């Protein structure tokens, strides 16, 4: 079955370390997105990519970086510059036709200690 | 500025009672409207969407929503809830016209009690 795979589901890191969250999709979707979720704040857009080798900053890009070398993959790196990285991170993808909405992965919960 | 407001952060309700989760938006461009559901530690699942046509939209799990352009609202309703409906619900607005972004409300926690 087609879908989005995020790994790992839970991730623990020490403060000051960079960490990369994986997002892979086999839906052949062109656009991919990273959202951060904090309690009571909904989902906030970190980065998005409409096509391979191109990506744009979202509303809260500071302290994060991404790459889009393959259509199927859109990894997110949380750098040591991110002041409050502990959160639930969601990856999503979308077909060119927006009618189908976004498809979401099951998320990665990152805890920085 | 474009925004989505979910008017209730939490909605407690008894099983088999009706429920309405409220959503208002503001936008200067055409919008397309969505409701998503999130169960604990999971991703978001699409409940229903409004793109055009009939303003009453039916979705999965017995939910429906009505688009009201004059009031810029897209409230979600279910006539009789079940314990299994306990989850977080997100209203979202897709901005067209070059923005190409999905903006989410802060979410409403629906708690169904026996």
């Amino acid at each position: 079955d087609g879908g989005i795979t995020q790994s790992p589901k839970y991730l623990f890191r020490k403060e000051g370390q960079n960490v990369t969250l994986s997002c892979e999709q086999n839906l052949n979707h062109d656009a991919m997105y990273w959202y951060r979720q904090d309690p009571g704040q909904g989902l906030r857009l970190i980065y998005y990519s409409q096509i391979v080798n191109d990506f744009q900053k979202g509303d809260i890009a500071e302290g994060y970086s991404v790459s889009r070398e393959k259509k199927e993959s859109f990894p997110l790196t949380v750098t040591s510059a991110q002041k409050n990285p502990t959160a639930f991170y969601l990856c999503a993808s979308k077909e060119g036709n927006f009618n189908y909405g976004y498809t979401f992965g099951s998320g990665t919960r990152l805890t920085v200690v | 500025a474009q925004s989505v407001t979910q008017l209730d952060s939490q909605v407690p309700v008894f099983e088999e009672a009706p429920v309405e989760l409220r959503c208002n938006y503001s936008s200067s461009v055409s919008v397309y409207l969505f409701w998503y559901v999130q169960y604990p530690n999971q991703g978001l699942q699409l409940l229903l969407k409004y793109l055009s046509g009939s303003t009453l939209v039916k979705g999965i799990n017995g939910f429906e929503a009505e688009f009201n352009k004059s009031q810029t609202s897209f409230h979600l309703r279910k006539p009789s809830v079940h314990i299994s409906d306990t989850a977080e619900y997100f209203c979202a607005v897709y901005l067209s016209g070059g923005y190409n972004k999905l903006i989410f409300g802060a979410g409403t926690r629906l708690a169904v009690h026996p």
Side-chain angles (χ1 to χ4, degrees):
Chain A
D1 288 338
I4 297 181
T5 301
Q6 288 188 244
S7 60
K9 191 166 179 64
Y10 298 95
L11 191 54
F12 294 88
R13 278 295 181 268
K14 290 185 178 179
E15 194 172 338
Q17 290 182 334
N18 291 357
V19 60
T20 297
L21 282 58
S22 171
C23 177
E24 303 277 334
Q25 55 103 353
N26 60 3
L27 300 164
N28 200 33
H29 286 177
D30 291 311
M32 296 186 74
Y33 305 80
W34 274 105
Y35 286 89
R36 170 181 171 138
Q37 185 177 15
D38 297 282
Q41 296 193 48
L43 279 70
R44 294 181 290 168
L45 183 63
I46 305 172
Y47 267 98
Y48 64 104
S49 168
Q50 307 270 28
I51 56 173
V52 174
N53 292 322
D54 187 46
F55 48 83
Q56 288 80 41
K57 292 182 179 180
D59 302 314
I60 56 164
E62 185 176 350
Y64 300 98
S65 66
V66 293
S67 63
R68 187 86 186 275
E69 297 176 2
K70 299 186 300 181
K71 189 175 186 179
E72 303 78 20
S73 178
F74 191 42
L76 173 74
T77 297
V78 184
T79 75
S80 56
Q82 168 49 234
K83 290 183 170 52
N84 185 18
T86 294
F88 191 53
Y89 291 87
L90 285 162
C91 179
S93 69
K94 181 178 74 67
E95 286 188 77
N97 180 350
F98 65 81
N99 286 343
Y100 300 98
Y102 287 22
T103 300
F104 282 85
S106 57
T108 293
R109 186 166 296 281
L110 173 64
T111 303
V112 176
V113 296
Chain B
Q2 338 288 348
S3 67
V4 180
T5 302
Q6 291 185 242
L7 296 157
D8 306 292
S9 60
Q10 295 185 64
V11 173
V13 64
F14 286 111
E15 195 173 17
E16 297 183 7
V19 71
E20 178 179 79
L21 307 183
R22 298 179 292 168
C23 173
N24 285 89
Y25 70 92
S26 66
S27 175
S28 56
V29 299
S30 296
V31 298
Y32 304 96
L33 300 157
F34 301 81
W35 274 98
Y36 286 86
V37 60
Q38 184 183 35
Y39 299 101
N41 290 313
Q42 293 188 25
L44 275 65
Q45 179 183 2
L46 182 65
L47 269 180
L48 49 78
K49 58 182 181 279
Y50 172 79
L51 305 177
S52 65
S54 172
T55 57
L56 183 63
V57 179
K58 293 191 183 300
I60 62 171
N61 300 342
F63 283 93
E64 63 181 31
E66 185 156 20
F67 171 55
N68 187 319
K69 188 174 183 179
S70 63
Q71 297 186 7
T72 61
S73 68
F74 190 54
H75 301 332
L76 181 70
R77 303 186 184 99
K78 186 169 183 178
S80 175
V81 295
H82 302 288
I83 295 286
S84 59
D85 292 323
T86 295
E88 188 101 24
Y89 292 80
F90 291 94
C91 180
V93 169
Y94 185 86
L95 305 177
S96 61
Y99 291 92
N100 299 321
K101 289 199 305 186
L102 193 64
I103 297 176
F104 287 86
T108 297
R109 171 82 178 156
L110 176 64
V112 181
H113 301 283

